[in-house]
Every structure is written in C-alpha cells, then in structure tokens.
Amino acid sequence: VVQRDFTTLVYEVVSAIPPGRAMTYGEVAAMIGSRAARAVGRVLAHSSDDLPWWRVVRAGGYPPIGHEKTALDQYEKEGTPLLQSTSGSGIRVDLRIARWNEEPQ
DNA sequence: CCTATGACTCATC
DNA sequence: GGATGAGCCATAG
C-alpha cells in the first residue's frame, strides 16, 4: 500500500465503491490504516459531488446528519438497498447486503 | 507546540 | 430503543 495523503486515500477508497454498495466511516478509516472515522467524514464534507460520499454511511447505516435527504435521493437513483425505521422517517442503508469490501470474492 | 472542532464509534445507563 | 460520556484521529488556527 502506498502511503499517500489521508485525504487522497479516502478519496480513492470512496470512489472505488460501486453503485448499489455502501461502507461505514469506520470501515473506510480502517481500510486506509487509520481509525479516524471523523477525519473521513471531514474529507467527504469538503469534497464535491464527484466523490460518492453518499455511499459512505455511519456504523448504523444512517447517512450523514443534515444530508439524509440528499443521500436518500442518490440511494433511490442508484438502487442502493434501503431499510425503513419503525416510524418510517429515519431510513438507513441495508449494510447487510450493500456492505462493500474493496476486494470482492 | 497546543487547543478546538468535526458528515464518527463504542460502552454504559 | 434512546440518551450520555469518553475515546480516537486528522485538520485548522
């Protein structure tokens, strides 16, 4: 693994996530050799729409706070498996199915 | 160099 | 199931 800037690593990993899949901040951080889940979110927040940040969700499968609506729109558009909360207002990504592992099979 | 903040995570009540 | 506290890491001032 090539040591690069944290931001670059996050960018590479997130952009490597195919449509219909999703990952958690902690998984992305651990993948790049760090536990800085918050730092990952920081990069996504500062990045543009070119980076599929909506494919990165929290440990519970919930999209970033304040952007749930935007993320939900992308999920429906790309066909990401979603789950509904009991109330229906809080939706989350079905990580049981959509979980991405960088190296499939 | 030290402090403060953040699109997080986990353990506990 | 929801709320609270503490931990961890990276960036900015």
PDB file of all heavy atoms in Angstrom, chain A residues 25-56:
ATOM      1  N   TYR A  25     -17.979   4.768   7.816  1.00  0.00           N
ATOM      2  CA  TYR A  25     -16.802   5.633   8.006  1.00  0.00           C
ATOM      3  C   TYR A  25     -15.684   4.830   8.684  1.00  0.00           C
ATOM      4  O   TYR A  25     -14.520   4.940   8.308  1.00  0.00           O
ATOM      5  CB  TYR A  25     -17.167   6.843   8.869  1.00  0.00           C
ATOM      6  CG  TYR A  25     -18.074   7.815   8.160  1.00  0.00           C
ATOM      7  CD1 TYR A  25     -19.460   7.785   8.363  1.00  0.00           C
ATOM      8  CD2 TYR A  25     -17.552   8.755   7.290  1.00  0.00           C
ATOM      9  CE1 TYR A  25     -20.285   8.681   7.719  1.00  0.00           C
ATOM     10  CE2 TYR A  25     -18.371   9.655   6.636  1.00  0.00           C
ATOM     11  CZ  TYR A  25     -19.739   9.612   6.854  1.00  0.00           C
ATOM     12  OH  TYR A  25     -20.563  10.488   6.216  1.00  0.00           O
ATOM     13  N   GLY A  26     -16.060   4.051   9.669  1.00  0.00           N
ATOM     14  CA  GLY A  26     -15.056   3.275  10.391  1.00  0.00           C
ATOM     15  C   GLY A  26     -14.371   2.268   9.483  1.00  0.00           C
ATOM     16  O   GLY A  26     -13.162   2.047   9.570  1.00  0.00           O
ATOM     17  N   GLU A  27     -15.123   1.647   8.588  1.00  0.00           N
ATOM     18  CA  GLU A  27     -14.550   0.672   7.666  1.00  0.00           C
ATOM     19  C   GLU A  27     -13.580   1.349   6.717  1.00  0.00           C
ATOM     20  O   GLU A  27     -12.496   0.842   6.440  1.00  0.00           O
ATOM     21  CB  GLU A  27     -15.674  -0.002   6.881  1.00  0.00           C
ATOM     22  CG  GLU A  27     -16.485  -0.960   7.739  1.00  0.00           C
ATOM     23  CD  GLU A  27     -15.640  -2.128   8.190  1.00  0.00           C
ATOM     24  OE1 GLU A  27     -15.065  -2.811   7.344  1.00  0.00           O
ATOM     25  OE2 GLU A  27     -15.548  -2.344   9.408  1.00  0.00           O
ATOM     26  N   VAL A  28     -13.969   2.497   6.215  1.00  0.00           N
ATOM     27  CA  VAL A  28     -13.094   3.237   5.299  1.00  0.00           C
ATOM     28  C   VAL A  28     -11.813   3.638   6.028  1.00  0.00           C
ATOM     29  O   VAL A  28     -10.705   3.465   5.513  1.00  0.00           O
ATOM     30  CB  VAL A  28     -13.807   4.491   4.766  1.00  0.00           C
ATOM     31  CG1 VAL A  28     -12.865   5.320   3.904  1.00  0.00           C
ATOM     32  CG2 VAL A  28     -15.046   4.090   3.967  1.00  0.00           C
ATOM     33  N   ALA A  29     -11.959   4.146   7.215  1.00  0.00           N
ATOM     34  CA  ALA A  29     -10.799   4.572   8.006  1.00  0.00           C
ATOM     35  C   ALA A  29      -9.876   3.380   8.271  1.00  0.00           C
ATOM     36  O   ALA A  29      -8.665   3.459   8.082  1.00  0.00           O
ATOM     37  CB  ALA A  29     -11.271   5.192   9.312  1.00  0.00           C
ATOM     38  N   ALA A  30     -10.466   2.274   8.665  1.00  0.00           N
ATOM     39  CA  ALA A  30      -9.677   1.072   8.965  1.00  0.00           C
ATOM     40  C   ALA A  30      -9.006   0.557   7.694  1.00  0.00           C
ATOM     41  O   ALA A  30      -7.893   0.054   7.727  1.00  0.00           O
ATOM     42  CB  ALA A  30     -10.591   0.009   9.557  1.00  0.00           C
ATOM     43  N   MET A  31      -9.668   0.725   6.583  1.00  0.00           N
ATOM     44  CA  MET A  31      -9.124   0.247   5.310  1.00  0.00           C
ATOM     45  C   MET A  31      -7.853   0.989   4.929  1.00  0.00           C
ATOM     46  O   MET A  31      -6.922   0.424   4.392  1.00  0.00           O
ATOM     47  CB  MET A  31     -10.188   0.435   4.231  1.00  0.00           C
ATOM     48  CG  MET A  31      -9.728  -0.080   2.887  1.00  0.00           C
ATOM     49  SD  MET A  31     -11.003   0.226   1.682  1.00  0.00           S
ATOM     50  CE  MET A  31     -12.321  -0.733   2.412  1.00  0.00           C
ATOM     51  N   ILE A  32      -7.825   2.258   5.218  1.00  0.00           N
ATOM     52  CA  ILE A  32      -6.651   3.056   4.881  1.00  0.00           C
ATOM     53  C   ILE A  32      -5.624   3.011   5.993  1.00  0.00           C
ATOM     54  O   ILE A  32      -4.587   3.659   5.915  1.00  0.00           O
ATOM     55  CB  ILE A  32      -7.054   4.513   4.586  1.00  0.00           C
ATOM     56  CG1 ILE A  32      -7.564   5.187   5.862  1.00  0.00           C
ATOM     57  CG2 ILE A  32      -8.087   4.565   3.491  1.00  0.00           C
ATOM     58  CD1 ILE A  32      -7.940   6.614   5.624  1.00  0.00           C
ATOM     59  N   GLY A  33      -5.901   2.208   7.015  1.00  0.00           N
ATOM     60  CA  GLY A  33      -4.924   2.049   8.084  1.00  0.00           C
ATOM     61  C   GLY A  33      -5.063   3.069   9.197  1.00  0.00           C
ATOM     62  O   GLY A  33      -4.113   3.341   9.911  1.00  0.00           O
ATOM     63  N   SER A  34      -6.259   3.602   9.349  1.00  0.00           N
ATOM     64  CA  SER A  34      -6.469   4.568  10.427  1.00  0.00           C
ATOM     65  C   SER A  34      -7.844   4.348  11.049  1.00  0.00           C
ATOM     66  O   SER A  34      -8.681   3.671  10.497  1.00  0.00           O
ATOM     67  CB  SER A  34      -6.364   5.992   9.885  1.00  0.00           C
ATOM     68  OG  SER A  34      -5.044   6.221   9.469  1.00  0.00           O
ATOM     69  N   ARG A  35      -8.048   4.903  12.187  1.00  0.00           N
ATOM     70  CA  ARG A  35      -9.360   4.787  12.824  1.00  0.00           C
ATOM     71  C   ARG A  35     -10.084   6.113  12.789  1.00  0.00           C
ATOM     72  O   ARG A  35     -11.084   6.292  13.446  1.00  0.00           O
ATOM     73  CB  ARG A  35      -9.168   4.390  14.270  1.00  0.00           C
ATOM     74  CG  ARG A  35      -8.450   3.074  14.411  1.00  0.00           C
ATOM     75  CD  ARG A  35      -8.207   2.926  15.863  1.00  0.00           C
ATOM     76  NE  ARG A  35      -7.634   1.675  16.216  1.00  0.00           N
ATOM     77  CZ  ARG A  35      -7.239   1.488  17.463  1.00  0.00           C
ATOM     78  NH1 ARG A  35      -7.381   2.454  18.328  1.00  0.00           N
ATOM     79  NH2 ARG A  35      -6.741   0.364  17.809  1.00  0.00           N
ATOM     80  N   ALA A  36      -9.542   7.054  12.090  1.00  0.00           N
ATOM     81  CA  ALA A  36     -10.125   8.386  12.068  1.00  0.00           C
ATOM     82  C   ALA A  36     -11.398   8.444  11.243  1.00  0.00           C
ATOM     83  O   ALA A  36     -11.420   8.983  10.143  1.00  0.00           O
ATOM     84  CB  ALA A  36      -9.094   9.362  11.539  1.00  0.00           C
ATOM     85  N   ALA A  37     -12.457   7.893  11.788  1.00  0.00           N
ATOM     86  CA  ALA A  37     -13.730   7.920  11.078  1.00  0.00           C
ATOM     87  C   ALA A  37     -14.167   9.365  10.882  1.00  0.00           C
ATOM     88  O   ALA A  37     -14.715   9.731   9.853  1.00  0.00           O
ATOM     89  CB  ALA A  37     -14.768   7.151  11.879  1.00  0.00           C
ATOM     90  N   ARG A  38     -13.897  10.190  11.873  1.00  0.00           N
ATOM     91  CA  ARG A  38     -14.294  11.596  11.792  1.00  0.00           C
ATOM     92  C   ARG A  38     -13.507  12.293  10.700  1.00  0.00           C
ATOM     93  O   ARG A  38     -14.022  13.138   9.978  1.00  0.00           O
ATOM     94  CB  ARG A  38     -14.064  12.257  13.129  1.00  0.00           C
ATOM     95  CG  ARG A  38     -14.895  11.517  14.096  1.00  0.00           C
ATOM     96  CD  ARG A  38     -15.119  12.031  15.465  1.00  0.00           C
ATOM     97  NE  ARG A  38     -14.465  13.043  16.088  1.00  0.00           N
ATOM     98  CZ  ARG A  38     -14.403  13.094  17.421  1.00  0.00           C
ATOM     99  NH1 ARG A  38     -14.794  12.149  18.141  1.00  0.00           N
ATOM    100  NH2 ARG A  38     -13.966  14.030  18.014  1.00  0.00           N
ATOM    101  N   ALA A  39     -12.264  11.958  10.583  1.00  0.00           N
ATOM    102  CA  ALA A  39     -11.425  12.574   9.548  1.00  0.00           C
ATOM    103  C   ALA A  39     -11.960  12.192   8.171  1.00  0.00           C
ATOM    104  O   ALA A  39     -11.916  12.978   7.229  1.00  0.00           O
ATOM    105  CB  ALA A  39      -9.988  12.112   9.710  1.00  0.00           C
ATOM    106  N   VAL A  40     -12.460  10.974   8.053  1.00  0.00           N
ATOM    107  CA  VAL A  40     -13.028  10.528   6.782  1.00  0.00           C
ATOM    108  C   VAL A  40     -14.235  11.395   6.427  1.00  0.00           C
ATOM    109  O   VAL A  40     -14.341  11.913   5.315  1.00  0.00           O
ATOM    110  CB  VAL A  40     -13.457   9.054   6.865  1.00  0.00           C
ATOM    111  CG1 VAL A  40     -14.182   8.632   5.586  1.00  0.00           C
ATOM    112  CG2 VAL A  40     -12.248   8.166   7.091  1.00  0.00           C
ATOM    113  N   GLY A  41     -15.107  11.567   7.385  1.00  0.00           N
ATOM    114  CA  GLY A  41     -16.290  12.384   7.151  1.00  0.00           C
ATOM    115  C   GLY A  41     -15.892  13.803   6.794  1.00  0.00           C
ATOM    116  O   GLY A  41     -16.525  14.456   5.975  1.00  0.00           O
ATOM    117  N   ARG A  42     -14.827  14.273   7.385  1.00  0.00           N
ATOM    118  CA  ARG A  42     -14.332  15.619   7.114  1.00  0.00           C
ATOM    119  C   ARG A  42     -13.955  15.740   5.644  1.00  0.00           C
ATOM    120  O   ARG A  42     -14.254  16.710   4.975  1.00  0.00           O
ATOM    121  CB  ARG A  42     -13.083  15.863   7.961  1.00  0.00           C
ATOM    122  CG  ARG A  42     -12.721  17.266   8.041  1.00  0.00           C
ATOM    123  CD  ARG A  42     -11.734  17.394   9.190  1.00  0.00           C
ATOM    124  NE  ARG A  42     -10.799  18.311   9.045  1.00  0.00           N
ATOM    125  CZ  ARG A  42     -10.908  19.535   8.598  1.00  0.00           C
ATOM    126  NH1 ARG A  42     -11.962  20.000   8.102  1.00  0.00           N
ATOM    127  NH2 ARG A  42     -10.050  20.253   8.650  1.00  0.00           N
ATOM    128  N   VAL A  43     -13.292  14.743   5.124  1.00  0.00           N
ATOM    129  CA  VAL A  43     -12.883  14.763   3.715  1.00  0.00           C
ATOM    130  C   VAL A  43     -14.123  14.765   2.816  1.00  0.00           C
ATOM    131  O   VAL A  43     -14.208  15.532   1.855  1.00  0.00           O
ATOM    132  CB  VAL A  43     -12.023  13.531   3.382  1.00  0.00           C
ATOM    133  CG1 VAL A  43     -11.716  13.479   1.893  1.00  0.00           C
ATOM    134  CG2 VAL A  43     -10.731  13.568   4.190  1.00  0.00           C
ATOM    135  N   LEU A  44     -15.070  13.923   3.139  1.00  0.00           N
ATOM    136  CA  LEU A  44     -16.275  13.837   2.312  1.00  0.00           C
ATOM    137  C   LEU A  44     -17.036  15.155   2.348  1.00  0.00           C
ATOM    138  O   LEU A  44     -17.575  15.595   1.335  1.00  0.00           O
ATOM    139  CB  LEU A  44     -17.157  12.701   2.835  1.00  0.00           C
ATOM    140  CG  LEU A  44     -16.474  11.338   2.851  1.00  0.00           C
ATOM    141  CD1 LEU A  44     -17.455  10.277   3.302  1.00  0.00           C
ATOM    142  CD2 LEU A  44     -15.921  11.001   1.485  1.00  0.00           C
ATOM    143  N   ALA A  45     -17.072  15.761   3.514  1.00  0.00           N
ATOM    144  CA  ALA A  45     -17.805  17.019   3.656  1.00  0.00           C
ATOM    145  C   ALA A  45     -17.156  18.112   2.818  1.00  0.00           C
ATOM    146  O   ALA A  45     -17.818  19.003   2.317  1.00  0.00           O
ATOM    147  CB  ALA A  45     -17.821  17.424   5.134  1.00  0.00           C
ATOM    148  N   HIS A  46     -15.867  18.039   2.684  1.00  0.00           N
ATOM    149  CA  HIS A  46     -15.148  19.077   1.936  1.00  0.00           C
ATOM    150  C   HIS A  46     -15.056  18.738   0.455  1.00  0.00           C
ATOM    151  O   HIS A  46     -14.720  19.565  -0.374  1.00  0.00           O
ATOM    152  CB  HIS A  46     -13.735  19.224   2.527  1.00  0.00           C
ATOM    153  CG  HIS A  46     -13.066  20.454   2.066  1.00  0.00           C
ATOM    154  ND1 HIS A  46     -12.226  20.498   0.963  1.00  0.00           N
ATOM    155  CD2 HIS A  46     -13.136  21.724   2.553  1.00  0.00           C
ATOM    156  CE1 HIS A  46     -11.804  21.763   0.818  1.00  0.00           C
ATOM    157  NE2 HIS A  46     -12.326  22.504   1.746  1.00  0.00           N
ATOM    158  N   SER A  47     -15.351  17.482   0.105  1.00  0.00           N
ATOM    159  CA  SER A  47     -15.250  17.080  -1.290  1.00  0.00           C
ATOM    160  C   SER A  47     -16.515  17.476  -2.067  1.00  0.00           C
ATOM    161  O   SER A  47     -17.518  17.844  -1.487  1.00  0.00           O
ATOM    162  CB  SER A  47     -15.067  15.566  -1.373  1.00  0.00           C
ATOM    163  OG  SER A  47     -16.253  14.924  -1.006  1.00  0.00           O
ATOM    164  N   SER A  48     -16.460  17.340  -3.344  1.00  0.00           N
ATOM    165  CA  SER A  48     -17.596  17.734  -4.173  1.00  0.00           C
ATOM    166  C   SER A  48     -18.443  16.510  -4.513  1.00  0.00           C
ATOM    167  O   SER A  48     -18.171  15.402  -4.068  1.00  0.00           O
ATOM    168  CB  SER A  48     -17.084  18.392  -5.460  1.00  0.00           C
ATOM    169  OG  SER A  48     -16.204  17.508  -6.121  1.00  0.00           O
ATOM    170  N   ASP A  49     -19.452  16.684  -5.339  1.00  0.00           N
ATOM    171  CA  ASP A  49     -20.347  15.586  -5.702  1.00  0.00           C
ATOM    172  C   ASP A  49     -19.638  14.544  -6.559  1.00  0.00           C
ATOM    173  O   ASP A  49     -20.182  13.491  -6.845  1.00  0.00           O
ATOM    174  CB  ASP A  49     -21.550  16.141  -6.459  1.00  0.00           C
ATOM    175  CG  ASP A  49     -22.373  17.043  -5.548  1.00  0.00           C
ATOM    176  OD1 ASP A  49     -22.198  16.941  -4.330  1.00  0.00           O
ATOM    177  OD2 ASP A  49     -23.173  17.821  -6.065  1.00  0.00           O
ATOM    178  N   ASP A  50     -18.434  14.850  -7.012  1.00  0.00           N
ATOM    179  CA  ASP A  50     -17.689  13.882  -7.808  1.00  0.00           C
ATOM    180  C   ASP A  50     -17.313  12.679  -6.965  1.00  0.00           C
ATOM    181  O   ASP A  50     -17.050  11.602  -7.474  1.00  0.00           O
ATOM    182  CB  ASP A  50     -16.421  14.536  -8.359  1.00  0.00           C
ATOM    183  CG  ASP A  50     -16.787  15.625  -9.369  1.00  0.00           C
ATOM    184  OD1 ASP A  50     -17.734  15.400 -10.131  1.00  0.00           O
ATOM    185  OD2 ASP A  50     -16.130  16.675  -9.371  1.00  0.00           O
ATOM    186  N   LEU A  51     -17.295  12.884  -5.664  1.00  0.00           N
ATOM    187  CA  LEU A  51     -16.979  11.800  -4.751  1.00  0.00           C
ATOM    188  C   LEU A  51     -18.288  11.250  -4.196  1.00  0.00           C
ATOM    189  O   LEU A  51     -19.050  11.991  -3.596  1.00  0.00           O
ATOM    190  CB  LEU A  51     -16.090  12.333  -3.616  1.00  0.00           C
ATOM    191  CG  LEU A  51     -15.021  11.362  -3.169  1.00  0.00           C
ATOM    192  CD1 LEU A  51     -14.252  11.943  -1.989  1.00  0.00           C
ATOM    193  CD2 LEU A  51     -15.637  10.054  -2.757  1.00  0.00           C
ATOM    194  N   PRO A  52     -18.568   9.966  -4.412  1.00  0.00           N
ATOM    195  CA  PRO A  52     -19.816   9.349  -3.937  1.00  0.00           C
ATOM    196  C   PRO A  52     -19.869   9.240  -2.425  1.00  0.00           C
ATOM    197  O   PRO A  52     -19.882   8.146  -1.877  1.00  0.00           O
ATOM    198  CB  PRO A  52     -19.802   7.978  -4.618  1.00  0.00           C
ATOM    199  CG  PRO A  52     -18.358   7.666  -4.831  1.00  0.00           C
ATOM    200  CD  PRO A  52     -17.693   8.997  -5.083  1.00  0.00           C
ATOM    201  N   TRP A  53     -19.875  10.370  -1.729  1.00  0.00           N
ATOM    202  CA  TRP A  53     -19.879  10.375  -0.266  1.00  0.00           C
ATOM    203  C   TRP A  53     -21.151   9.740   0.286  1.00  0.00           C
ATOM    204  O   TRP A  53     -21.180   9.247   1.397  1.00  0.00           O
ATOM    205  CB  TRP A  53     -19.741  11.808   0.244  1.00  0.00           C
ATOM    206  CG  TRP A  53     -20.797  12.718  -0.290  1.00  0.00           C
ATOM    207  CD1 TRP A  53     -20.691  13.535  -1.370  1.00  0.00           C
ATOM    208  CD2 TRP A  53     -22.124  12.884   0.224  1.00  0.00           C
ATOM    209  NE1 TRP A  53     -21.881  14.206  -1.560  1.00  0.00           N
ATOM    210  CE2 TRP A  53     -22.777  13.825  -0.594  1.00  0.00           C
ATOM    211  CE3 TRP A  53     -22.836  12.341   1.305  1.00  0.00           C
ATOM    212  CZ2 TRP A  53     -24.090  14.221  -0.372  1.00  0.00           C
ATOM    213  CZ3 TRP A  53     -24.139  12.728   1.519  1.00  0.00           C
ATOM    214  CH2 TRP A  53     -24.757  13.666   0.686  1.00  0.00           C
ATOM    215  N   TRP A  54     -22.208   9.736  -0.504  1.00  0.00           N
ATOM    216  CA  TRP A  54     -23.471   9.163  -0.044  1.00  0.00           C
ATOM    217  C   TRP A  54     -23.356   7.647   0.108  1.00  0.00           C
ATOM    218  O   TRP A  54     -24.160   7.013   0.745  1.00  0.00           O
ATOM    219  CB  TRP A  54     -24.605   9.530  -0.999  1.00  0.00           C
ATOM    220  CG  TRP A  54     -24.293   9.227  -2.430  1.00  0.00           C
ATOM    221  CD1 TRP A  54     -24.455   8.025  -3.040  1.00  0.00           C
ATOM    222  CD2 TRP A  54     -23.753  10.131  -3.402  1.00  0.00           C
ATOM    223  NE1 TRP A  54     -24.045   8.130  -4.353  1.00  0.00           N
ATOM    224  CE2 TRP A  54     -23.613   9.406  -4.602  1.00  0.00           C
ATOM    225  CE3 TRP A  54     -23.391  11.479  -3.362  1.00  0.00           C
ATOM    226  CZ2 TRP A  54     -23.108   9.981  -5.768  1.00  0.00           C
ATOM    227  CZ3 TRP A  54     -22.891  12.045  -4.526  1.00  0.00           C
ATOM    228  CH2 TRP A  54     -22.756  11.301  -5.714  1.00  0.00           C
ATOM    229  N   ARG A  55     -22.337   7.056  -0.508  1.00  0.00           N
ATOM    230  CA  ARG A  55     -22.146   5.612  -0.351  1.00  0.00           C
ATOM    231  C   ARG A  55     -21.430   5.317   0.955  1.00  0.00           C
ATOM    232  O   ARG A  55     -21.208   4.165   1.303  1.00  0.00           O
ATOM    233  CB  ARG A  55     -21.336   5.081  -1.523  1.00  0.00           C
ATOM    234  CG  ARG A  55     -22.136   5.157  -2.832  1.00  0.00           C
ATOM    235  CD  ARG A  55     -21.309   4.655  -4.010  1.00  0.00           C
ATOM    236  NE  ARG A  55     -21.986   5.013  -5.253  1.00  0.00           N
ATOM    237  CZ  ARG A  55     -21.371   5.067  -6.426  1.00  0.00           C
ATOM    238  NH1 ARG A  55     -20.100   4.776  -6.523  1.00  0.00           N
ATOM    239  NH2 ARG A  55     -22.026   5.398  -7.489  1.00  0.00           N
ATOM    240  N   VAL A  56     -21.042   6.326   1.649  1.00  0.00           N
ATOM    241  CA  VAL A  56     -20.398   6.157   2.952  1.00  0.00           C
ATOM    242  C   VAL A  56     -21.388   6.567   4.034  1.00  0.00           C
ATOM    243  O   VAL A  56     -21.863   7.691   4.054  1.00  0.00           O
ATOM    244  CB  VAL A  56     -19.141   7.023   3.049  1.00  0.00           C
ATOM    245  CG1 VAL A  56     -18.456   6.796   4.396  1.00  0.00           C
ATOM    246  CG2 VAL A  56     -18.182   6.681   1.911  1.00  0.00           C
TER     247      VAL A  56
END
